PDB file of all heavy atoms in Angstrom:
ATOM      1  N   VAL G   1      10.775  -7.249 -14.737  1.00 95.00           N
ATOM      2  CA  VAL G   1      11.312  -6.588 -13.555  1.00 95.00           C
ATOM      3  C   VAL G   1      10.842  -7.403 -12.359  1.00 95.00           C
ATOM      4  O   VAL G   1       9.912  -8.210 -12.483  1.00 95.00           O
ATOM      5  CB  VAL G   1      10.821  -5.110 -13.496  1.00 95.00           C
ATOM      6  CG1 VAL G   1       9.324  -5.031 -13.287  1.00 95.00           C
ATOM      7  CG2 VAL G   1      11.577  -4.288 -12.480  1.00 95.00           C
ATOM      8  N   HIS G   2      11.461  -7.220 -11.216  1.00 92.00           N
ATOM      9  CA  HIS G   2      11.055  -7.943 -10.016  1.00 92.00           C
ATOM     10  C   HIS G   2       9.556  -7.758  -9.792  1.00 92.00           C
ATOM     11  O   HIS G   2       9.013  -6.673 -10.004  1.00 92.00           O
ATOM     12  CB  HIS G   2      11.836  -7.424  -8.808  1.00 92.00           C
ATOM     13  CG  HIS G   2      11.679  -8.267  -7.594  1.00 92.00           C
ATOM     14  ND1 HIS G   2      10.611  -8.108  -6.732  1.00 92.00           N
ATOM     15  CD2 HIS G   2      12.431  -9.283  -7.103  1.00 92.00           C
ATOM     16  CE1 HIS G   2      10.721  -8.986  -5.752  1.00 92.00           C
ATOM     17  NE2 HIS G   2      11.818  -9.713  -5.960  1.00 92.00           N
ATOM     18  N   TRP G   3       8.880  -8.809  -9.352  1.00 88.00           N
ATOM     19  CA  TRP G   3       7.413  -8.781  -9.235  1.00 88.00           C
ATOM     20  C   TRP G   3       6.912  -7.638  -8.369  1.00 88.00           C
ATOM     21  O   TRP G   3       5.824  -7.116  -8.593  1.00 88.00           O
ATOM     22  CB  TRP G   3       6.867 -10.115  -8.747  1.00 88.00           C
ATOM     23  CG  TRP G   3       7.334 -10.565  -7.386  1.00 88.00           C
ATOM     24  CD1 TRP G   3       8.400 -11.383  -7.115  1.00 88.00           C
ATOM     25  CD2 TRP G   3       6.755 -10.236  -6.123  1.00 88.00           C
ATOM     26  NE1 TRP G   3       8.521 -11.575  -5.765  1.00 88.00           N
ATOM     27  CE2 TRP G   3       7.525 -10.883  -5.127  1.00 88.00           C
ATOM     28  CE3 TRP G   3       5.676  -9.470  -5.731  1.00 88.00           C
ATOM     29  CZ2 TRP G   3       7.251 -10.783  -3.769  1.00 88.00           C
ATOM     30  CZ3 TRP G   3       5.385  -9.358  -4.369  1.00 88.00           C
ATOM     31  CH2 TRP G   3       6.176 -10.016  -3.421  1.00 88.00           C
ATOM     32  N   GLU G   4       7.702  -7.197  -7.387  1.00 87.00           N
ATOM     33  CA  GLU G   4       7.259  -6.092  -6.534  1.00 87.00           C
ATOM     34  C   GLU G   4       7.213  -4.757  -7.293  1.00 87.00           C
ATOM     35  O   GLU G   4       6.543  -3.836  -6.854  1.00 87.00           O
ATOM     36  CB  GLU G   4       8.170  -5.939  -5.318  1.00 87.00           C
ATOM     37  CG  GLU G   4       8.033  -7.063  -4.321  1.00 87.00           C
ATOM     38  CD  GLU G   4       8.926  -6.876  -3.120  1.00 87.00           C
ATOM     39  OE1 GLU G   4      10.104  -6.491  -3.287  1.00 87.00           O
ATOM     40  OE2 GLU G   4       8.455  -7.125  -2.003  1.00 87.00           O
ATOM     41  N   SER G   5       7.921  -4.663  -8.403  1.00 91.00           N
ATOM     42  CA  SER G   5       7.990  -3.409  -9.167  1.00 91.00           C
ATOM     43  C   SER G   5       7.201  -3.445 -10.473  1.00 91.00           C
ATOM     44  O   SER G   5       7.204  -2.470 -11.221  1.00 91.00           O
ATOM     45  CB  SER G   5       9.457  -3.088  -9.475  1.00 91.00           C
ATOM     46  OG  SER G   5      10.188  -2.921  -8.286  1.00 91.00           O
ATOM     47  N   GLN G   6       6.538  -4.558 -10.767  1.00 90.00           N
ATOM     48  CA  GLN G   6       5.837  -4.679 -12.045  1.00 90.00           C
ATOM     49  C   GLN G   6       4.753  -3.626 -12.237  1.00 90.00           C
ATOM     50  O   GLN G   6       4.681  -2.990 -13.293  1.00 90.00           O
ATOM     51  CB  GLN G   6       5.241  -6.076 -12.209  1.00 90.00           C
ATOM     52  CG  GLN G   6       6.261  -7.116 -12.556  1.00 90.00           C
ATOM     53  CD  GLN G   6       5.664  -8.503 -12.691  1.00 90.00           C
ATOM     54  OE1 GLN G   6       4.476  -8.720 -12.452  1.00 90.00           O
ATOM     55  NE2 GLN G   6       6.494  -9.447 -13.077  1.00 90.00           N
ATOM     56  N   ASP G   7       3.901  -3.432 -11.242  1.00 89.00           N
ATOM     57  CA  ASP G   7       2.824  -2.448 -11.387  1.00 89.00           C
ATOM     58  C   ASP G   7       3.392  -1.044 -11.574  1.00 89.00           C
ATOM     59  O   ASP G   7       2.894  -0.272 -12.398  1.00 89.00           O
ATOM     60  CB  ASP G   7       1.879  -2.484 -10.183  1.00 89.00           C
ATOM     61  CG  ASP G   7       1.020  -3.736 -10.156  1.00 89.00           C
ATOM     62  OD1 ASP G   7       0.867  -4.382 -11.220  1.00 89.00           O
ATOM     63  OD2 ASP G   7       0.508  -4.074  -9.075  1.00 89.00           O
ATOM     64  N   ASP G   8       4.421  -0.704 -10.800  1.00 92.00           N
ATOM     65  CA  ASP G   8       5.060   0.610 -10.912  1.00 92.00           C
ATOM     66  C   ASP G   8       5.610   0.822 -12.321  1.00 92.00           C
ATOM     67  O   ASP G   8       5.408   1.872 -12.930  1.00 92.00           O
ATOM     68  CB  ASP G   8       6.189   0.724  -9.878  1.00 92.00           C
ATOM     69  CG  ASP G   8       6.885   2.068  -9.907  1.00 92.00           C
ATOM     70  OD1 ASP G   8       6.194   3.102 -10.079  1.00 92.00           O
ATOM     71  OD2 ASP G   8       8.118   2.096  -9.745  1.00 92.00           O
ATOM     72  N   MET G   9       6.272  -0.196 -12.855  1.00 94.00           N
ATOM     73  CA  MET G   9       6.856  -0.075 -14.195  1.00 94.00           C
ATOM     74  C   MET G   9       5.763   0.080 -15.252  1.00 94.00           C
ATOM     75  O   MET G   9       5.906   0.895 -16.168  1.00 94.00           O
ATOM     76  CB  MET G   9       7.740  -1.273 -14.502  1.00 94.00           C
ATOM     77  CG  MET G   9       8.547  -1.104 -15.770  1.00 94.00           C
ATOM     78  SD  MET G   9       9.938  -2.241 -15.747  1.00 94.00           S
ATOM     79  CE  MET G   9      10.522  -2.074 -17.407  1.00 94.00           C
ATOM     80  N   LYS G  10       4.685  -0.689 -15.125  1.00 94.00           N
ATOM     81  CA  LYS G  10       3.589  -0.581 -16.093  1.00 94.00           C
ATOM     82  C   LYS G  10       2.982   0.818 -16.075  1.00 94.00           C
ATOM     83  O   LYS G  10       2.671   1.369 -17.130  1.00 94.00           O
ATOM     84  CB  LYS G  10       2.502  -1.618 -15.792  1.00 94.00           C
ATOM     85  CG  LYS G  10       2.894  -3.032 -16.140  1.00 94.00           C
ATOM     86  CD  LYS G  10       1.819  -4.019 -15.705  1.00 94.00           C
ATOM     87  CE  LYS G  10       2.264  -5.456 -15.940  1.00 94.00           C
ATOM     88  NZ  LYS G  10       1.279  -6.421 -15.428  1.00 94.00           N
ATOM     89  N   GLN G  11       2.828   1.395 -14.885  1.00 94.00           N
ATOM     90  CA  GLN G  11       2.236   2.728 -14.765  1.00 94.00           C
ATOM     91  C   GLN G  11       3.162   3.810 -15.303  1.00 94.00           C
ATOM     92  O   GLN G  11       2.736   4.691 -16.037  1.00 94.00           O
ATOM     93  CB  GLN G  11       1.914   3.048 -13.300  1.00 94.00           C
ATOM     94  CG  GLN G  11       0.579   2.557 -12.844  1.00 94.00           C
ATOM     95  CD  GLN G  11       0.292   3.051 -11.435  1.00 94.00           C
ATOM     96  OE1 GLN G  11       1.186   3.211 -10.612  1.00 94.00           O
ATOM     97  NE2 GLN G  11      -0.973   3.291 -11.160  1.00 94.00           N
ATOM     98  N   ARG G  12       4.415   3.749 -14.919  1.00 96.00           N
ATOM     99  CA  ARG G  12       5.365   4.804 -15.271  1.00 96.00           C
ATOM    100  C   ARG G  12       5.850   4.747 -16.712  1.00 96.00           C
ATOM    101  O   ARG G  12       6.225   5.767 -17.284  1.00 96.00           O
ATOM    102  CB  ARG G  12       6.569   4.753 -14.329  1.00 96.00           C
ATOM    103  CG  ARG G  12       6.219   5.181 -12.917  1.00 96.00           C
ATOM    104  CD  ARG G  12       7.373   5.056 -11.951  1.00 96.00           C
ATOM    105  NE  ARG G  12       8.566   5.747 -12.396  1.00 96.00           N
ATOM    106  CZ  ARG G  12       9.789   5.470 -11.964  1.00 96.00           C
ATOM    107  NH1 ARG G  12       9.970   4.524 -11.067  1.00 96.00           N
ATOM    108  NH2 ARG G  12      10.825   6.131 -12.407  1.00 96.00           N
ATOM    109  N   PHE G  13       5.848   3.544 -17.308  1.00 97.00           N
ATOM    110  CA  PHE G  13       6.410   3.374 -18.649  1.00 97.00           C
ATOM    111  C   PHE G  13       5.453   2.579 -19.536  1.00 97.00           C
ATOM    112  O   PHE G  13       5.700   1.409 -19.842  1.00 97.00           O
ATOM    113  CB  PHE G  13       7.780   2.689 -18.562  1.00 97.00           C
ATOM    114  CG  PHE G  13       8.728   3.391 -17.630  1.00 97.00           C
ATOM    115  CD1 PHE G  13       8.991   2.882 -16.370  1.00 97.00           C
ATOM    116  CD2 PHE G  13       9.331   4.587 -18.003  1.00 97.00           C
ATOM    117  CE1 PHE G  13       9.851   3.533 -15.494  1.00 97.00           C
ATOM    118  CE2 PHE G  13      10.192   5.242 -17.141  1.00 97.00           C
ATOM    119  CZ  PHE G  13      10.459   4.720 -15.883  1.00 97.00           C
ATOM    120  N   PRO G  14       4.369   3.205 -19.969  1.00 96.00           N
ATOM    121  CA  PRO G  14       3.371   2.489 -20.778  1.00 96.00           C
ATOM    122  C   PRO G  14       3.911   2.020 -22.132  1.00 96.00           C
ATOM    123  O   PRO G  14       3.325   1.137 -22.751  1.00 96.00           O
ATOM    124  CB  PRO G  14       2.238   3.505 -20.947  1.00 96.00           C
ATOM    125  CG  PRO G  14       2.851   4.829 -20.671  1.00 96.00           C
ATOM    126  CD  PRO G  14       3.986   4.591 -19.721  1.00 96.00           C
ATOM    127  N   GLY G  15       5.024   2.557 -22.580  1.00 96.00           N
ATOM    128  CA  GLY G  15       5.619   2.139 -23.846  1.00 96.00           C
ATOM    129  C   GLY G  15       6.441   0.868 -23.743  1.00 96.00           C
ATOM    130  O   GLY G  15       6.984   0.386 -24.734  1.00 96.00           O
ATOM    131  N   VAL G  16       6.522   0.310 -22.539  1.00 97.00           N
ATOM    132  CA  VAL G  16       7.268  -0.934 -22.310  1.00 97.00           C
ATOM    133  C   VAL G  16       6.256  -2.052 -22.078  1.00 97.00           C
ATOM    134  O   VAL G  16       5.339  -1.909 -21.279  1.00 97.00           O
ATOM    135  CB  VAL G  16       8.192  -0.811 -21.079  1.00 97.00           C
ATOM    136  CG1 VAL G  16       8.915  -2.125 -20.814  1.00 97.00           C
ATOM    137  CG2 VAL G  16       9.183   0.330 -21.250  1.00 97.00           C
ATOM    138  N   GLU G  17       6.421  -3.152 -22.781  1.00 97.00           N
ATOM    139  CA  GLU G  17       5.567  -4.320 -22.547  1.00 97.00           C
ATOM    140  C   GLU G  17       6.172  -5.121 -21.394  1.00 97.00           C
ATOM    141  O   GLU G  17       7.152  -5.850 -21.576  1.00 97.00           O
ATOM    142  CB  GLU G  17       5.469  -5.194 -23.799  1.00 97.00           C
ATOM    143  CG  GLU G  17       4.546  -6.371 -23.620  1.00 97.00           C
ATOM    144  CD  GLU G  17       4.548  -7.327 -24.806  1.00 97.00           C
ATOM    145  OE1 GLU G  17       4.992  -6.932 -25.898  1.00 97.00           O
ATOM    146  OE2 GLU G  17       4.106  -8.476 -24.610  1.00 97.00           O
ATOM    147  N   VAL G  18       5.617  -4.944 -20.213  1.00 95.00           N
ATOM    148  CA  VAL G  18       6.130  -5.616 -19.015  1.00 95.00           C
ATOM    149  C   VAL G  18       5.558  -7.029 -18.958  1.00 95.00           C
ATOM    150  O   VAL G  18       4.351  -7.213 -18.966  1.00 95.00           O
ATOM    151  CB  VAL G  18       5.760  -4.833 -17.733  1.00 95.00           C
ATOM    152  CG1 VAL G  18       6.299  -5.539 -16.499  1.00 95.00           C
ATOM    153  CG2 VAL G  18       6.288  -3.405 -17.819  1.00 95.00           C
ATOM    154  N   VAL G  19       6.450  -8.010 -18.929  1.00 94.00           N
ATOM    155  CA  VAL G  19       6.032  -9.404 -18.893  1.00 94.00           C
ATOM    156  C   VAL G  19       6.378 -10.011 -17.537  1.00 94.00           C
ATOM    157  O   VAL G  19       7.376  -9.662 -16.924  1.00 94.00           O
ATOM    158  CB  VAL G  19       6.680 -10.233 -20.035  1.00 94.00           C
ATOM    159  CG1 VAL G  19       6.203  -9.746 -21.389  1.00 94.00           C
ATOM    160  CG2 VAL G  19       8.191 -10.192 -19.966  1.00 94.00           C
ATOM    161  N   ASP G  20       5.508 -10.901 -17.056  1.00 89.00           N
ATOM    162  CA  ASP G  20       5.744 -11.593 -15.794  1.00 89.00           C
ATOM    163  C   ASP G  20       6.541 -12.847 -16.110  1.00 89.00           C
ATOM    164  O   ASP G  20       5.980 -13.919 -16.312  1.00 89.00           O
ATOM    165  CB  ASP G  20       4.410 -11.935 -15.126  1.00 89.00           C
ATOM    166  CG  ASP G  20       4.603 -12.601 -13.773  1.00 89.00           C
ATOM    167  OD1 ASP G  20       5.684 -12.448 -13.181  1.00 89.00           O
ATOM    168  OD2 ASP G  20       3.675 -13.286 -13.311  1.00 89.00           O
ATOM    169  N   ALA G  21       7.838 -12.677 -16.187  1.00 91.00           N
ATOM    170  CA  ALA G  21       8.726 -13.775 -16.549  1.00 91.00           C
ATOM    171  C   ALA G  21       9.987 -13.687 -15.697  1.00 91.00           C
ATOM    172  O   ALA G  21      10.266 -12.647 -15.100  1.00 91.00           O
ATOM    173  CB  ALA G  21       9.092 -13.690 -18.029  1.00 91.00           C
ATOM    174  N   LEU G  22      10.745 -14.766 -15.651  1.00 91.00           N
ATOM    175  CA  LEU G  22      12.011 -14.748 -14.923  1.00 91.00           C
ATOM    176  C   LEU G  22      12.997 -13.797 -15.578  1.00 91.00           C
ATOM    177  O   LEU G  22      13.688 -13.044 -14.904  1.00 91.00           O
ATOM    178  CB  LEU G  22      12.622 -16.149 -14.880  1.00 91.00           C
ATOM    179  CG  LEU G  22      11.871 -17.188 -14.065  1.00 91.00           C
ATOM    180  CD1 LEU G  22      12.547 -18.549 -14.208  1.00 91.00           C
ATOM    181  CD2 LEU G  22      11.800 -16.776 -12.603  1.00 91.00           C
ATOM    182  N   PHE G  23      13.066 -13.853 -16.899  1.00 94.00           N
ATOM    183  CA  PHE G  23      13.949 -12.964 -17.641  1.00 94.00           C
ATOM    184  C   PHE G  23      13.381 -12.762 -19.031  1.00 94.00           C
ATOM    185  O   PHE G  23      12.486 -13.482 -19.458  1.00 94.00           O
ATOM    186  CB  PHE G  23      15.385 -13.508 -17.702  1.00 94.00           C
ATOM    187  CG  PHE G  23      15.526 -14.822 -18.411  1.00 94.00           C
ATOM    188  CD1 PHE G  23      15.784 -14.873 -19.775  1.00 94.00           C
ATOM    189  CD2 PHE G  23      15.407 -16.009 -17.720  1.00 94.00           C
ATOM    190  CE1 PHE G  23      15.920 -16.087 -20.428  1.00 94.00           C
ATOM    191  CE2 PHE G  23      15.547 -17.230 -18.357  1.00 94.00           C
ATOM    192  CZ  PHE G  23      15.802 -17.271 -19.722  1.00 94.00           C
ATOM    193  N   CYS G  24      13.911 -11.773 -19.715  1.00 95.00           N
ATOM    194  CA  CYS G  24      13.437 -11.459 -21.059  1.00 95.00           C
ATOM    195  C   CYS G  24      14.615 -10.897 -21.853  1.00 95.00           C
ATOM    196  O   CYS G  24      15.285  -9.970 -21.398  1.00 95.00           O
ATOM    197  CB  CYS G  24      12.309 -10.432 -20.967  1.00 95.00           C
ATOM    198  SG  CYS G  24      11.613  -9.966 -22.562  1.00 95.00           S
ATOM    199  N   VAL G  25      14.875 -11.465 -23.001  1.00 94.00           N
ATOM    200  CA  VAL G  25      15.904 -10.943 -23.891  1.00 94.00           C
ATOM    201  C   VAL G  25      15.188 -10.443 -25.135  1.00 94.00           C
ATOM    202  O   VAL G  25      14.540 -11.206 -25.844  1.00 94.00           O
ATOM    203  CB  VAL G  25      16.955 -12.026 -24.257  1.00 94.00           C
ATOM    204  CG1 VAL G  25      18.010 -11.455 -25.183  1.00 94.00           C
ATOM    205  CG2 VAL G  25      17.594 -12.606 -22.988  1.00 94.00           C
ATOM    206  N   ASP G  26      15.278  -9.137 -25.372  1.00 94.00           N
ATOM    207  CA  ASP G  26      14.642  -8.512 -26.530  1.00 94.00           C
ATOM    208  C   ASP G  26      15.727  -7.798 -27.323  1.00 94.00           C
ATOM    209  O   ASP G  26      16.125  -6.679 -26.997  1.00 94.00           O
ATOM    210  CB  ASP G  26      13.556  -7.531 -26.079  1.00 94.00           C
ATOM    211  CG  ASP G  26      12.729  -7.006 -27.245  1.00 94.00           C
ATOM    212  OD1 ASP G  26      13.132  -7.189 -28.411  1.00 94.00           O
ATOM    213  OD2 ASP G  26      11.667  -6.408 -26.986  1.00 94.00           O
ATOM    214  N   GLY G  27      16.233  -8.488 -28.309  1.00 89.00           N
ATOM    215  CA  GLY G  27      17.309  -7.918 -29.118  1.00 89.00           C
ATOM    216  C   GLY G  27      18.574  -7.762 -28.304  1.00 89.00           C
ATOM    217  O   GLY G  27      19.064  -8.716 -27.716  1.00 89.00           O
ATOM    218  N   ASP G  28      19.066  -6.521 -28.229  1.00 89.00           N
ATOM    219  CA  ASP G  28      20.317  -6.272 -27.518  1.00 89.00           C
ATOM    220  C   ASP G  28      20.098  -5.768 -26.086  1.00 89.00           C
ATOM    221  O   ASP G  28      20.993  -5.206 -25.469  1.00 89.00           O
ATOM    222  CB  ASP G  28      21.186  -5.287 -28.298  1.00 89.00           C
ATOM    223  CG  ASP G  28      20.500  -3.953 -28.527  1.00 89.00           C
ATOM    224  OD1 ASP G  28      19.308  -3.823 -28.208  1.00 89.00           O
ATOM    225  OD2 ASP G  28      21.166  -3.026 -29.033  1.00 89.00           O
ATOM    226  N   VAL G  29      18.903  -5.978 -25.563  1.00 93.00           N
ATOM    227  CA  VAL G  29      18.596  -5.594 -24.185  1.00 93.00           C
ATOM    228  C   VAL G  29      17.993  -6.799 -23.463  1.00 93.00           C
ATOM    229  O   VAL G  29      17.059  -7.421 -23.955  1.00 93.00           O
ATOM    230  CB  VAL G  29      17.614  -4.397 -24.118  1.00 93.00           C
ATOM    231  CG1 VAL G  29      17.288  -4.052 -22.677  1.00 93.00           C
ATOM    232  CG2 VAL G  29      18.193  -3.187 -24.836  1.00 93.00           C
ATOM    233  N   ALA G  30      18.553  -7.105 -22.300  1.00 95.00           N
ATOM    234  CA  ALA G  30      18.076  -8.236 -21.502  1.00 95.00           C
ATOM    235  C   ALA G  30      17.685  -7.730 -20.121  1.00 95.00           C
ATOM    236  O   ALA G  30      18.343  -6.840 -19.574  1.00 95.00           O
ATOM    237  CB  ALA G  30      19.174  -9.297 -21.389  1.00 95.00           C
ATOM    238  N   THR G  31      16.620  -8.284 -19.589  1.00 96.00           N
ATOM    239  CA  THR G  31      16.177  -7.927 -18.246  1.00 96.00           C
ATOM    240  C   THR G  31      15.878  -9.193 -17.467  1.00 96.00           C
ATOM    241  O   THR G  31      15.443 -10.184 -18.037  1.00 96.00           O
ATOM    242  CB  THR G  31      14.924  -7.025 -18.290  1.00 96.00           C
ATOM    243  OG1 THR G  31      13.914  -7.646 -19.092  1.00 96.00           O
ATOM    244  CG2 THR G  31      15.249  -5.653 -18.865  1.00 96.00           C
ATOM    245  N   ALA G  32      16.128  -9.140 -16.164  1.00 95.00           N
ATOM    246  CA  ALA G  32      15.856 -10.287 -15.296  1.00 95.00           C
ATOM    247  C   ALA G  32      15.211  -9.789 -14.015  1.00 95.00           C
ATOM    248  O   ALA G  32      15.479  -8.676 -13.552  1.00 95.00           O
ATOM    249  CB  ALA G  32      17.142 -11.045 -14.979  1.00 95.00           C
ATOM    250  N   ALA G  33      14.370 -10.624 -13.433  1.00 93.00           N
ATOM    251  CA  ALA G  33      13.621 -10.256 -12.233  1.00 93.00           C
ATOM    252  C   ALA G  33      14.510 -10.126 -11.006  1.00 93.00           C
ATOM    253  O   ALA G  33      14.135  -9.506 -10.033  1.00 93.00           O
ATOM    254  CB  ALA G  33      12.514 -11.276 -11.983  1.00 93.00           C
ATOM    255  N   GLY G  34      15.697 -10.695 -11.043  1.00 90.00           N
ATOM    256  CA  GLY G  34      16.613 -10.625  -9.910  1.00 90.00           C
ATOM    257  C   GLY G  34      16.859 -11.997  -9.313  1.00 90.00           C
ATOM    258  O   GLY G  34      16.284 -12.991  -9.743  1.00 90.00           O
ATOM    259  N   GLY G  35      17.706 -12.033  -8.325  1.00 87.00           N
ATOM    260  CA  GLY G  35      18.029 -13.300  -7.668  1.00 87.00           C
ATOM    261  C   GLY G  35      18.540 -14.331  -8.658  1.00 87.00           C
ATOM    262  O   GLY G  35      19.344 -14.034  -9.546  1.00 87.00           O
ATOM    263  N   MET G  36      18.044 -15.543  -8.553  1.00 88.00           N
ATOM    264  CA  MET G  36      18.504 -16.630  -9.412  1.00 88.00           C
ATOM    265  C   MET G  36      18.054 -16.480 -10.854  1.00 88.00           C
ATOM    266  O   MET G  36      18.626 -17.092 -11.745  1.00 88.00           O
ATOM    267  CB  MET G  36      18.044 -17.978  -8.851  1.00 88.00           C
ATOM    268  CG  MET G  36      18.720 -18.351  -7.544  1.00 88.00           C
ATOM    269  SD  MET G  36      20.535 -18.278  -7.610  1.00 88.00           S
ATOM    270  CE  MET G  36      20.878 -19.553  -8.789  1.00 88.00           C
ATOM    271  N   SER G  37      17.054 -15.640 -11.107  1.00 91.00           N
ATOM    272  CA  SER G  37      16.640 -15.439 -12.500  1.00 91.00           C
ATOM    273  C   SER G  37      17.750 -14.790 -13.314  1.00 91.00           C
ATOM    274  O   SER G  37      17.807 -14.959 -14.533  1.00 91.00           O
ATOM    275  CB  SER G  37      15.358 -14.601 -12.579  1.00 91.00           C
ATOM    276  OG  SER G  37      15.605 -13.252 -12.224  1.00 91.00           O
ATOM    277  N   SER G  38      18.645 -14.072 -12.649  1.00 92.00           N
ATOM    278  CA  SER G  38      19.798 -13.480 -13.336  1.00 92.00           C
ATOM    279  C   SER G  38      20.693 -14.589 -13.894  1.00 92.00           C
ATOM    280  O   SER G  38      21.191 -14.491 -15.013  1.00 92.00           O
ATOM    281  CB  SER G  38      20.606 -12.609 -12.380  1.00 92.00           C
ATOM    282  OG  SER G  38      19.773 -11.675 -11.751  1.00 92.00           O
ATOM    283  N   MET G  39      20.869 -15.638 -13.099  1.00 93.00           N
ATOM    284  CA  MET G  39      21.659 -16.784 -13.548  1.00 93.00           C
ATOM    285  C   MET G  39      20.953 -17.492 -14.697  1.00 93.00           C
ATOM    286  O   MET G  39      21.581 -17.880 -15.676  1.00 93.00           O
ATOM    287  CB  MET G  39      21.899 -17.756 -12.390  1.00 93.00           C
ATOM    288  CG  MET G  39      22.624 -19.016 -12.803  1.00 93.00           C
ATOM    289  SD  MET G  39      24.297 -18.726 -13.391  1.00 93.00           S
ATOM    290  CE  MET G  39      25.213 -19.183 -11.961  1.00 93.00           C
ATOM    291  N   ASP G  40      19.633 -17.645 -14.587  1.00 92.00           N
ATOM    292  CA  ASP G  40      18.867 -18.275 -15.668  1.00 92.00           C
ATOM    293  C   ASP G  40      19.026 -17.482 -16.966  1.00 92.00           C
ATOM    294  O   ASP G  40      19.184 -18.063 -18.036  1.00 92.00           O
ATOM    295  CB  ASP G  40      17.392 -18.377 -15.292  1.00 92.00           C
ATOM    296  CG  ASP G  40      17.151 -19.343 -14.150  1.00 92.00           C
ATOM    297  OD1 ASP G  40      17.591 -20.504 -14.260  1.00 92.00           O
ATOM    298  OD2 ASP G  40      16.517 -18.953 -13.165  1.00 92.00           O
ATOM    299  N   MET G  41      18.992 -16.151 -16.864  1.00 94.00           N
ATOM    300  CA  MET G  41      19.151 -15.307 -18.049  1.00 94.00           C
ATOM    301  C   MET G  41      20.541 -15.505 -18.666  1.00 94.00           C
ATOM    302  O   MET G  41      20.672 -15.673 -19.877  1.00 94.00           O
ATOM    303  CB  MET G  41      18.950 -13.833 -17.690  1.00 94.00           C
ATOM    304  CG  MET G  41      19.142 -12.890 -18.872  1.00 94.00           C
ATOM    305  SD  MET G  41      18.867 -11.154 -18.444  1.00 94.00           S
ATOM    306  CE  MET G  41      20.294 -10.804 -17.417  1.00 94.00           C
ATOM    307  N   MET G  42      21.549 -15.507 -17.832  1.00 94.00           N
ATOM    308  CA  MET G  42      22.908 -15.684 -18.355  1.00 94.00           C
ATOM    309  C   MET G  42      23.075 -17.063 -18.987  1.00 94.00           C
ATOM    310  O   MET G  42      23.719 -17.190 -20.031  1.00 94.00           O
ATOM    311  CB  MET G  42      23.939 -15.473 -17.237  1.00 94.00           C
ATOM    312  CG  MET G  42      24.013 -14.037 -16.751  1.00 94.00           C
ATOM    313  SD  MET G  42      24.166 -12.805 -18.078  1.00 94.00           S
ATOM    314  CE  MET G  42      25.638 -13.313 -18.901  1.00 94.00           C
TER     315      MET G  42
END
């Protein structure tokens, strides 16, 4: 998730392994930090 929301996500959703990366593809779910990282993910 975007770096500004990482701590919030870790606190609210402990069952999610939040990684500090541009993007992450885990099976059939992909997440990107935003901005140009969305293009990198695609």
Side-chain angles (χ1 to χ4, degrees):
V1 66
H2 191 275
W3 61 266
E4 290 181 317
S5 299
Q6 284 179 356
D7 289 340
D8 181 39
M9 189 160 170
K10 287 175 185 176
Q11 274 186 327
R12 290 176 54 201
F13 306 104
V16 178
E17 183 186 342
V18 180
V19 295
D20 183 21
L22 293 176
F23 62 91
C24 181
V25 180
D26 188 347
D28 59 353
V29 178
T31 53
M36 292 307 295
S37 71
S38 307
M39 176 64 101
D40 293 306
M41 178 179 70
M42 292 311 302

